[in-house]
Amino acid sequence: MYTEHYNKISTLRYNFEKILERLKSEKDFETKSELALYGASYFVYNNCGYFTSSVLENFFADWAKNIKVNLSNIQYKKNSFLHVLTEGYETGGHTRVVERWIENAPANQVHSVIQIKPSKSKLLMLSDIIKAKNGNFILLKNNLSIEEKAIKLRKIAMEYEYVILHTHMGDPTAILAFGTEEFTRPVLFYNHASHMPWLGKNIADLVLDIVNNDAITKEKRGITNTYFLGVPTKNTAFAKVSDKNEIRRRLKIPFDKKIIVTSGSDARYRNICGNDFRDYLEEIMDDNTLCYVIGVKPKSPSWKKIKHDTKNRVITLGFINFHKGFSDYLKAADLYLDSYPLGGGTAMIDAISSGVPALSLNTVCPQFDYLTETSAYCQTKDEFINKARKVLNNKAYANEIYEEVKNSLIKYQSTEAWNKKIEKLFEIAPKNHKVKILSEADDYCENNDLSVLCNAITNKKFLVTKKYKSFTDSFITNLIKNGCLYKKQGIPFIFELLTYKKGENKIKIFKLFSVTIFKMSKSKYKNRCNAV
């Protein structure tokens, strides 16, 4: 499907393996740790066909074993759970899962959340839900080093019966905290980003999949210790809105138009190899249809074009806080369309829970079981377009689609179904923590469409870049010395300001006629300037 981009995947894989090669041969620990941290970021955000990295995970586990923490006399409380986040968000499904998991939990359980990095927002909803379950919202200070954060995480986590990871894919803090069997509490890994590479296989006592029999988990990661949990829904009656017009009046949406809603970041709507959601949307819409798009940047050229082509019948709303208006737009809709080529996950669930028929188009990224088993999951773009038109123009058919997907959602992911899965989970979950030594032979590494999709989502320049440069030995040496070059300013070869990131530090190098004249290092702890 996306084979024209496979040559770039091969180059990215060569570069990643070049980093691993130097990591394995390097003797100095500080240099190895810098390479590993850079490699973890490269591994996730330059998908090269790997979905696990045994070299990186084994290194971080070895590092963890050398971090000595006194854990004696720390007792855990029965029915206590610590959810570990790298960072939480007001939008998207990642943090909604944590909120709903805690919200649906029985009253006799205590759920706390620890956040490794500070959020850009206060996450008041999550904080209130945690308080209602007698838990704590623990924020690690941003000026701590990654090792200091790991020490605090290890100590705090020992006070809980279970640890549940919702961490970012390239964040190794959890491995540094739990990569030793001196830590004894079981660690459950919630696989919220199955489609992307991630770290944590070696410390996961059980992987909680959101898709049943996930082929990526089994074939591309070689993980067998799994449990199908899915995604929690908000406790709802799945009732259709009795008066859409009242909601439309409040939102200033015309009463006499057919309304489509779709939501997601710009990255979820990338045009890959000519497969463009906007083209399909334009074919679906007629003069009597409006489409409200939530989450994309209104000034994005591709969205400005479809707004022009449809005479402003496509309305881009930008970001809308989940708890402050997003659900109203869902309730006002006649049809919800899933984002493509990366589906919206929890947004689809929210649309169906709001009483709205919803459609999704088959993609290389795995979708939820409740959806794939229904007529709402379309195999081709023509099926997607034709069904969307029919939903908008045939109320009986719209209701048929809605009832089918609603009943499937209730079967798989209703609050009752979720709570039954949770009850079974803690009957079978391991009672003690084990750390695995991983084998490189088990690391899948091939060109594939999913890797292309991941790169298109995480790097907007990937699709327009014709060819990537291969890393050289001198590049790796400079990487060790200065870090990763991420910003160039000035006029090349005359006056340049080069900014490098090295671990938790930033290095700025000023060059005049290609000669370094000034170098400044800035970290969270100190600044250092050197004239050259």
Side-chain angles (χ1 to χ4, degrees):
M1 189 175 183
Y2 302 145
T3 53
E4 65 186 73
H5 296 287
Y6 280 9
N7 65 311
K8 289 180 277 188
I9 302 296
S10 296
T11 304
L12 294 175
R13 183 160 61 252
Y14 173 86
N15 292 345
F16 179 58
E17 290 173 349
K18 195 82 173 172
I19 297 167
L20 298 184
E21 181 183 307
R22 186 64 176 266
L23 174 63
K24 288 188 284 187
S25 64
E26 184 60 51
K27 303 300 181 186
D28 178 69
F29 173 77
E30 186 175 343
T31 302
K32 287 177 79 75
S33 63
E34 292 286 357
L35 275 171
L37 291 170
Y38 175 74
S41 178
Y42 192 93
F43 162 66
V44 171
Y45 297 108
N46 296 275
N47 191 311
C48 58
Y50 282 89
F51 286 83
T52 58
S53 174
S54 298
V55 174
L56 287 178
E57 294 210 21
N58 288 338
F59 170 78
F60 288 123
D62 288 341
W63 184 353
K65 292 177 180 67
N66 289 312
I67 301 174
K68 299 302 179 183
V69 182
N70 183 6
L71 302 177
S72 60
N73 300 320
I74 300 179
Q75 302 296 318
Y76 70 85
K77 299 172 185 175
K78 191 71 176 171
N79 288 323
S80 61
F81 305 82
L82 181 66
H83 298 261
V84 183
L85 280 73
T86 300
E87 184 179 358
Y89 304 96
E90 283 191 335
T91 60
H94 169 266
T95 309
R96 303 292 80 71
V97 165
V98 182
E99 289 174 354
R100 292 169 187 180
W101 186 322
I102 298 172
E103 196 172 29
N104 292 339
N108 67 332
Q109 293 183 356
V110 174
H111 287 258
S112 293
V113 171
I114 186 167
Q115 191 167 283
I116 295 168
K117 287 177 59 179
S119 291
K120 295 177 182 178
S121 54
K122 292 183 179 180
L123 303 177
L124 297 177
M125 179 65 72
L126 177 60
S127 181
D128 289 343
I129 290 170
I130 293 167
K131 287 178 184 176
K133 287 293 191 272
N134 300 310
N136 296 308
F137 196 178
I138 305 159
L139 305 176
L140 296 181
K141 292 181 179 179
N142 198 35
N143 62 354
L144 299 176
S145 70
I146 189 171
E147 188 168 306
E148 289 170 328
K149 289 181 177 181
I151 290 170
K152 286 188 174 293
L153 177 57
R154 191 183 295 179
K155 281 185 174 180
I156 292 168
M158 277 294 288
E159 298 174 8
Y160 292 83
E161 186 173 7
Y162 289 97
V163 177
I164 303 162
L165 300 183
H166 307 264
T167 45
H168 285 9
M169 297 76 70
D171 182 4
T173 311
I175 301 182
L176 296 183
F178 310 131
T180 169
E181 291 181 8
E182 290 178 7
F183 179 83
T184 57
R185 308 312 315 134
V187 176
L188 312 181
F189 188 104
Y190 188 78
N191 189 8
H192 70 274
S194 174
H195 60 290
M196 293 186 69
W198 49 252
L199 300 173
K201 176 181 175 180
N202 62 346
I203 59 168
D205 295 302
L206 191 64
V207 173
L208 309 178
D209 274 334
I210 61 176
V211 174
N212 197 18
N213 295 316
D214 189 337
I216 300 171
T217 299
K218 289 179 168 55
E219 297 168 15
K220 291 182 170 60
R221 291 196 170 92
I223 296 175
T224 56
N225 55 319
T226 65
Y227 178 78
F228 169 47
L229 183 59
V231 174
T233 59
K234 194 171 180 63
N235 200 346
T236 177
F238 291 90
K240 289 188 177 182
V241 176
S242 58
D243 189 2
K244 279 186 188 288
N245 285 345
E246 172 56 28
I247 297 174
R248 290 188 181 186
R249 182 192 61 75
R250 194 164 64 245
L251 298 174
K252 298 180 180 179
I253 294 175
F255 295 172
D256 60 341
K257 299 292 184 182
K258 291 171 288 185
I259 303 300
I260 298 172
V261 171
T262 185
S263 68
S265 64
D266 284 278
R268 291 181 180 272
Y269 297 96
R270 291 267 196 263
N271 176 353
I272 307 179
C273 300
N275 298 293
D276 193 337
F277 174 89
R278 286 162 289 265
D279 291 341
Y280 312 153
L281 179 60
E282 199 166 350
E283 286 194 55
I284 291 166
M285 297 177 68
D286 59 23
D287 292 341
N288 197 41
T289 307
L290 299 179
C291 179
Y292 290 84
V293 186
I294 301 171
V296 301
K297 295 176 182 176
K299 294 183 179 180
S300 168
S302 54
W303 288 107
K304 285 175 71 175
K305 181 180 183 302
I306 190 172
K307 285 168 70 175
H308 175 268
D309 292 346
T310 60
K311 298 178 181 178
N312 292 318
R313 285 182 288 108
V314 172
I315 300 105
T316 49
L317 298 172
F319 161 74
I320 297 179
N321 188 300
F322 183 85
H323 302 290
K324 296 178 182 177
F326 177 80
S327 62
D328 285 338
Y329 277 96
L330 295 180
K331 292 171 185 175
D334 297 300
L335 171 64
Y336 183 86
L337 294 179
D338 200 5
S339 52
Y340 178 88
L342 183 62
T346 54
M348 276 286 285
I349 291 174
D350 292 330
I352 299 160
S353 300
S354 299
V356 179
L359 296 174
S360 182
L361 178 57
N362 181 27
T363 176
V364 298
C365 186
Q367 261 287 17
F368 296 132
D369 298 79
Y370 85 85
L371 182 60
T372 58
E373 294 185 6
T374 70
S375 304
Y377 191 61
C378 306
Q379 297 300 318
T380 67
K381 67 177 183 179
D382 289 338
E383 182 186 357
F384 183 65
I385 292 165
N386 292 333
K387 283 186 174 179
R389 288 172 176 167
K390 193 171 180 180
V391 166
L392 291 170
N393 294 287
N394 185 325
K395 288 185 178 180
Y397 181 73
N399 189 62
E400 181 184 317
I401 288 287
Y402 169 69
E403 288 295 327
E404 183 187 5
V405 73
K406 179 196 74 172
N407 290 335
S408 185
L409 179 58
I410 290 171
K411 173 186 171 184
Y412 278 101
Q413 302 297 165
S414 66
T415 303
E416 183 181 356
W418 168 266
N419 288 340
K420 285 181 179 178
K421 288 179 184 177
I422 289 290
E423 187 177 336
K424 183 180 177 183
L425 165 62
F426 292 110
E427 289 175 2
I428 66 165
K431 304 304 179 187
N432 294 292
H433 180 51
K434 298 291 182 184
V435 179
K436 295 171 279 296
I437 299 173
L438 305 181
S439 169
E440 287 183 67
D442 295 331
D443 289 341
Y444 170 98
C445 54
E446 294 180 10
N447 295 338
N448 60 86
D449 287 341
L450 189 54
S451 292
V452 174
L453 174 62
C454 288
N455 284 311
I457 292 164
T458 58
N459 181 1
K460 62 183 179 182
K461 293 183 179 179
F462 175 81
L463 295 172
V464 296
T465 301
K466 292 185 177 179
K467 186 178 180 182
Y468 279 95
K469 291 182 179 179
S470 299
F471 286 178
T472 61
D473 290 335
S474 61
F475 173 87
I476 300 292
T477 300
N478 189 62
L479 181 70
I480 293 169
K481 181 180 178 182
N482 294 321
C484 176
L485 177 63
Y486 81 102
K487 186 187 289 185
K488 285 184 178 182
Q489 296 167 280
I491 304 171
F493 309 112
I494 299 176
F495 174 80
E496 294 178 282
L497 171 58
L498 308 178
T499 305
Y500 293 82
K501 278 186 179 179
K502 186 178 182 184
E504 295 164 331
N505 303 326
K506 285 185 181 179
I507 298 172
K508 291 183 181 288
I509 297 177
F510 299 83
K511 288 188 174 185
L512 185 63
F513 299 111
S514 300
V515 177
T516 299
I517 59 171
F518 198 72
K519 183 176 181 179
M520 180 175 71
S521 177
K522 182 179 180 182
S523 75
K524 297 174 184 175
Y525 319 106
K526 60 184 178 181
N527 293 335
R528 184 174 65 254
C529 297
N530 296 313
V532 178

